[in-house]
Each structure stands twice: as structure tokens, then as C-alpha cells.
Amino acid sequence: MYTTITPLLSAAAQTGYTVGAFNAHNLEMLPPMIQAARDLGAPIIIQTSAGTARYVGMRNFVAVCRTLADNEAVDVALHLDHATSIEDIEDAITAGYSSVMYDGSALPFTQNIVASQRVVEYAHARDVSVEAEIGTIGGTEDGIEHEHGNYTQPEEVTAFLDAVDCDALAISIGTNHGQFRDKTQLDFPLLERIHAVTDRPLVVHGGTGVDEADYPRLMANGIRKFNVGTELLVGWTRSAQEALAASPVNRSLRHNMIPANDTVRDVVSHKITLFLGVPVQR
Ligand code: 13P
């Protein structure tokens, strides 16, 4: 079923697992992602940056996600990742995205509250779920560099969630976007303090840089949406580069795309298996 993130995250909270949210960069990536979820009987969140959404066409992402959700009998949410512009949010909702992230984390705290709650009112009135963010997640995303600034503080979480009726909250506990060469050091005592003050589903960004050995502790502390982007991007690009380099220029393109898509399927499948709480070895 094509759905919002809300029922997916609340089912995850009941049993203590987390839902994988995977960044797609093109339409090619969607079938292997969604088929991997179907094979494991798991829900999946597909997310796109506003830039990718505009490149592919928002309605195209919606059409493919809806079709695959129906044909493959799997729960799929399509989420706009890190939107800072209200126009992007309105366009995504109009196109049929089932979920949006409003990222007001660069704004002064009170302005973030006001703007996030406005987005919640607009989106909820249209049956679309909302993720908000407080604290700054470092690293590079969609070519934009962010300093690793302030980690999310529990008192801010309480104040923010008292005013903002969002469906999920992205927090900063030491992750960085785009970290694929090494792994990050997470501040687990901070996460535990945040989890102690709220039941709201929490979101980890920069999942590529998180050590897989840390997943169980994240899931035990309220992380219900887990974003993975760069690992898929790097895997897809490396496989495509290899195939294209070895290919005659007039070889049917699918022969070069299939290995790249298979890499995406394998990474998504591996991650979802771990997110369901099943220990596996690579
Ligand atoms: P990575 O690309 O570092 O895995 O992060 C993905 C993400 O958090 C998207 O918002």
C-alpha cells in the first residue's frame, strides 16, 4: 500500500524495529529498493532531495512508487527529504508525496518551531506526514556542506514537541551526512536522555556513517526511521562505472544498469534485515 510514514513508524515502535528510509537519485533505483523490502516482508520509505525530485519530476516519483506499492504488495511511503522551502513542500504534496521533511534546523529555535508547525498544519490537512529537525547534522548533502554544529538537547526536544505535532523528529547525536570512508562516534548517553523525554519516533540521518554494530542500541532508544543515502549512491555509481567502462558503446543500456541496480537491491536488503533486528553477517 502507498502510505504515509506515520503507521509505518508506529508499527515499528510497537515491536522495537526501525524503518529504512533510502535516498533515490533516479527512477532506476526504485524497483530494486522496493523489491528488496517486499522480499523481506518489510515496509520501506523512499526519499528524495528536492533537487532530485525536480530533476526526475515529482509526479514521476509518485507514479512509480504507487505502482510498485500496489503491484508488489508492499507498504511504501514517498518522502521529501530536507526541504527548506515551503514551495518545494507544497509542490511535493500536490504531486502526491505522502510525507515531507521540513528542515528548519538552521533557523533560530523559535522560528523553527513556528515554521515547522505551519508545515504540519498544511500537510496534515492533506493527509501527509511531517518530519522536523532540531540540532545540526554535519557533513555534505546534495553538494551542500554543513558544519557539525550543535547536538540536539533533551530540553529542546520537549519544548519543540510541545508545540510541533510532527510525526517524526530528526536529531543530531553525532552523525554526518555523506560519511562513507569511516564510521562516526555516536553520543549514546545523549540519545538515551532524549528517548527518556519523548515517545515521538526519532530519526537518524547520515546512516551511511553509522557502524552497523550500533544499530541495536539505536533501535532500543527510539530510532524508528533510519536514513541511508550515500552508501547506495556510491555502490550504484561504482557498479555503473565498472560496467560502463567495460562496455561497447552500442551495448544495450540495461546490461550496464542491471549490475548497478542489483547493488542497490543488495544494500537495501542487508540494511532492512538489520533494521528488523536480525543479526546477519556480510
Ligand atoms: P547518508 O547519505 O550519509 O547515508 O545520509 C542520508 C540522509 O540522512 C538523508 O537525509
Side-chain angles (χ1 to χ4, degrees):
M1 191 167 93
Y2 184 69
T3 179
T4 69
I5 64 170
T6 311
L8 307 187
L9 304 190
S10 80
Q14 274 164 25
T15 354
Y17 62 91
T18 192
V19 182
F22 301 98
N23 285 77
H25 289 258
N26 56 21
L27 290 177
E28 284 282 320
M29 287 185 170
L30 298 186
M33 286 176 171
I34 291 174
Q35 284 154 7
R38 176 208 57 201
D39 290 348
L40 292 163
I44 186 166
I45 300 167
I46 303 290
Q47 53 190 16
T48 74
S49 67
T52 298
R54 296 217 179 267
Y55 152 67
V56 170
M58 289 177 171
R59 287 181 195 280
N60 294 330
F61 269 124
V62 171
V64 175
C65 282
R66 275 189 184 279
T67 303
L68 285 164
D70 292 345
N71 290 353
E72 309 287 347
V74 52
D75 285 338
V76 178
L78 177 62
H79 179 79
L80 185 69
D81 195 23
H82 285 289
T84 49
S85 127
I86 301 300
E87 194 188 343
D88 286 336
I89 285 179
E90 288 176 355
D91 288 352
I93 292 175
T94 305
Y97 274 58
S98 64
S99 183
V100 293
M101 174 183 189
Y102 174 67
D103 180 358
S105 61
L107 299 173
F109 187 66
T110 321
Q111 278 182 41
N112 187 9
I113 287 184
V114 172
S116 298
Q117 181 53 21
R118 260 194 217 137
V119 170
V120 166
E121 280 161 20
Y122 179 86
H124 282 183
R126 290 155 181 84
D127 294 326
V128 168
S129 49
V130 178
E131 174 184 339
E133 174 174 327
I134 45 175
T136 320
I137 295 155
T140 307
E141 200 179 35
D142 222 16
I144 299 161
E145 186 81 35
H146 298 278
E147 283 285 307
H148 206 302
N150 47 328
Y151 284 17
T152 306
Q153 297 307 312
E155 318 75 68
E156 292 172 334
V157 171
T158 311
F160 191 86
L161 293 179
D162 279 350
V164 182
D165 186 23
C166 56
D167 304 281
L169 182 67
I171 53 169
S172 170
I173 51 166
T175 60
N176 301 293
H177 285 120
Q179 183 175 358
F180 70 100
R181 297 188 196 280
D182 56 6
K183 297 297 171 195
T184 195
Q185 185 81 33
L186 294 173
D187 189 338
F188 276 111
L190 176 62
L191 174 61
E192 284 159 12
R193 284 168 51 229
I194 292 171
H195 183 45
V197 300
T198 185
D199 289 336
R200 206 75 62 97
L202 302 173
V203 185
V204 155
H205 282 248
T208 297
V210 176
D211 192 331
E212 291 179 348
D214 287 337
Y215 291 4
R217 203 164 165 197
L218 289 168
M219 283 152 40
N221 284 286
I223 299 298
R224 299 291 163 238
K225 175 172 178 281
F226 194 114
N227 292 1
V228 180
T230 303
E231 190 169 342
L232 296 164
L233 173 63
V234 169
W236 196 92
T237 304
R238 281 190 178 139
S239 297
Q241 272 177 343
E242 229 171 79
L244 287 164
S247 176
V249 287
N250 60 347
R251 192 174 184 223
S252 181
L253 193 53
R254 71 178 181 282
H255 297 296
N256 299 322
M257 295 297 99
I258 288 170
N261 297 337
D262 285 351
T263 301
V264 166
R265 183 201 56 213
D266 292 348
V267 172
V268 170
S269 173
H270 174 73
K271 295 293 179 191
I272 291 180
T273 305
L274 294 176
F275 295 157
L276 292 173
V278 184
V280 292
Q281 299 203 325
R282 270 212 161 181

